[in-house]
Amino acid sequence: QQPAFQAKGVMLEPFVHQVGGHSCVLRFGEQTICKPLIPREHQFYKNLPAAMRKFTPQYRGVVSVSFEEDEEGNLCLIAYPLLSDPSADVENKDPSADCDAKSKMLHWGQMITSSLLLESEIYSKDGRGRHFRKDNDQSGHTLQGYTELERPQQAEVLRYRLDHSHSNAVPQLKHNPWSLKCHQQHLQRMKENAKHRNQYKFILLENLTWRHALPCVLDLKMGTRQHGDDASEEKKAIQIRKCQQSTSASIGVRLCGMQVYHSDSGQLIFMNKYHGRKLTLAGFKEALFQFFHSGHRLRQELLSPVLSRLREMQAALESCESYRFYSSSLLIIYDGDEDEEVEAEPKMDEDPLSELCSPVVDVRMIDFAHTTCRHYGEDSVVHEGKDSGYIFGLQNLITIISELENHCTD
């Protein structure tokens, strides 16, 4: 039915809007991403409670991914249909998936080299942040204007000046420091294992950012507990310590990653999980303020839709008996390009008019590798009732964003 896909496979590219997590997320096509299959997460997506469908990315099946090198020794990942999965032919499709892998080869080796070079150039040992421009980048991408805001060795907060072309097109993000770090580590592991294994299963999921010209993404780690029931004592102790030393213990939510576009400076601001763990309650509130700020103004029109979505999600979770979403994240996504917002058609009734005028903002739950519920037969622990730690985090998030909304009207 899709011969090019069957014969050549689909070239997987880096997914540049990944702001948190340690899993390697790849772009399968414009509307689809893929990530390594973890059986527990796969089981969750396949047996999703109806009440939660609208709050999670759409599940689109499984592919088999192999690690290959081209003639020049460049690393690449190619996805093929999973022949043993009868649903694969139907599900593993995205009309924009790149079937002609060799014609659009992304040179990962060069990309990773350039990202390492970028890191070593920026994080200079003299302790001062530096502006950096490298026009002769081998990979063809212009790495412009990274400015370090935090400790030079860590660089937990970065500013990245988007390179506006001469046309009026919205500048595109080519590099994201966090996603490149995840790819680098993942490819290195795959390369090391290549002699023993070259077939990996990945799940396909909806790309929640595809509609947006300049996606602003906030990744929040939810709940007062992060370790799964199957965690080792060592892992459990580490996760408990992370929660105690961050806002997870006090408010049930912490910042795990963020990218936001500030139109006044033309810069994308990135924050990573290491920065998020250090934030006090006041620092967390400040980061949320920064996320909803365009550089010119607070995007007040986004707050009400986010709040109603969070309240709706809370109601759905209240009804999810025995589920525990340990180490799960909440994504909030909107478009930093304010011109992209939907303009209403003239001469319409007020209700559809306000619906069309309202900005597109999305709130979804992701990352279910440590999720458990009573339907998972092999689990040793079965929990009763609702996930109070997650709901506690949602309630506090609702309170903080409500304070932001009130701050606007004050």
Side-chain angles (χ1 to χ4, degrees), residues 364-375:
R364 306 279 186 111
M365 297 171 72
I366 59 161
D367 294 344
F368 303 103
H370 301 286
T371 292
T372 180
C373 81
R374 68 168 78 253
H375 311 301

Side-chain angles (χ1 to χ4, degrees), residues 23-35:
S23 189
C24 179
V25 180
L26 300 166
R27 183 184 184 276
F28 179 83
E30 185 185 30
Q31 299 176 30
T32 308
I33 55 147
C34 63
K35 59 183 287 196

